Amino acid sequence: MLSTGIQAPSFALPDQNGRTHTLEEYRGQKVVLYFYPKDNTPGCTKQACAFGELYPQFTEKGAVVLGVSKDSVASHKKFAEKYGLPFPLLSDEGLEAIRAYGVWQEKNMYGKKTMGVVRTTYLIDENGVIVRAFSKVKAEENPQQMLDTL
């Protein structure tokens, strides 16, 4: 996980519609950048839907929400359409941003060690600096936590 007070790593990733997003295009806005393990899993669905429900409040506060996982663009498209998600889901199949943000870590699943995305959320300010970092967040609580942090 990255520390607060540093410049957030740059990225260029496609969303569920194939449009490439870069961190630089959001200069002047706060960015809630959340990394999650997998589309259509219970925790990830709860987190995404809660961000979706609160999305108008994020935009009122001048913030954008971007979800990132290693799922494909096609998977993201189905996930976003199924739940009516109003924000971009970025596909990082090559793990570039996932590794750059320090969220690709060893996990212990049922006694077996595997590598995977640790649910983590960053708040990035208008100048691209990480101002808050939350690791191992609770999926259902994280969206409200981020809104309160704003």
Side-chain angles (χ1 to χ4, degrees):
M1 188 167 107
L2 300 179
S3 304
T4 58
I6 66 167
Q7 197 70 32
S10 182
F11 58 79
L13 297 171
D15 69 10
Q16 66 267 33
N17 299 310
R19 179 180 169 269
T20 299
H21 294 255
T22 66
L23 184 58
E24 291 72 25
E25 78 183 77
Y26 295 106
R27 286 288 158 92
Q29 294 178 281
K30 292 181 177 97
V31 176
V32 174
L33 184 66
Y34 83 95
F35 292 88
Y36 65 98
K38 190 158 181 52
D39 292 341
N40 287 302
T41 56
C44 297
T45 299
K46 287 176 186 170
Q47 186 179 25
C49 289
F51 269 121
E53 288 169 22
L54 296 173
Y55 191 68
Q57 294 171 59
F58 281 101
T59 58
E60 283 172 19
K61 292 185 180 232
V64 296
V65 174
L66 302 172
V68 182
S69 82
K70 65 183 191 76
D71 292 305
S72 68
V73 167
S75 174
H76 281 341
K77 186 163 187 65
K78 287 178 194 167
F79 186 49
E81 287 176 353
K82 182 176 181 178
Y83 295 103
L85 302 176
F87 55 87
L89 296 176
L90 307 181
S91 174
D92 189 9
E93 291 183 277
L95 307 178
E96 291 92 3
I98 288 169
R99 284 196 169 112
Y101 280 83
V103 300
W104 186 250
Q105 299 174 16
E106 188 175 87
K107 298 166 90 173
N108 195 345
M109 298 273 284
Y110 309 109
K112 182 181 174 196
K113 292 186 189 279
T114 60
M115 292 299 289
V117 173
V118 174
R119 192 181 310 278
T120 305
T121 306
Y122 290 98
L123 177 59
I124 301 167
D125 74 9
E126 296 86 348
N127 299 311
V129 174
I130 297 171
V131 291
R132 295 296 301 268
F134 299 89
S135 70
K136 298 180 184 170
V137 298
K138 293 192 183 334
E140 281 182 88
E141 298 168 12
N142 182 236
Q144 186 63 55
Q145 174 188 40
M146 295 311 296
L147 192 58
D148 294 345
T149 302
L150 283 170

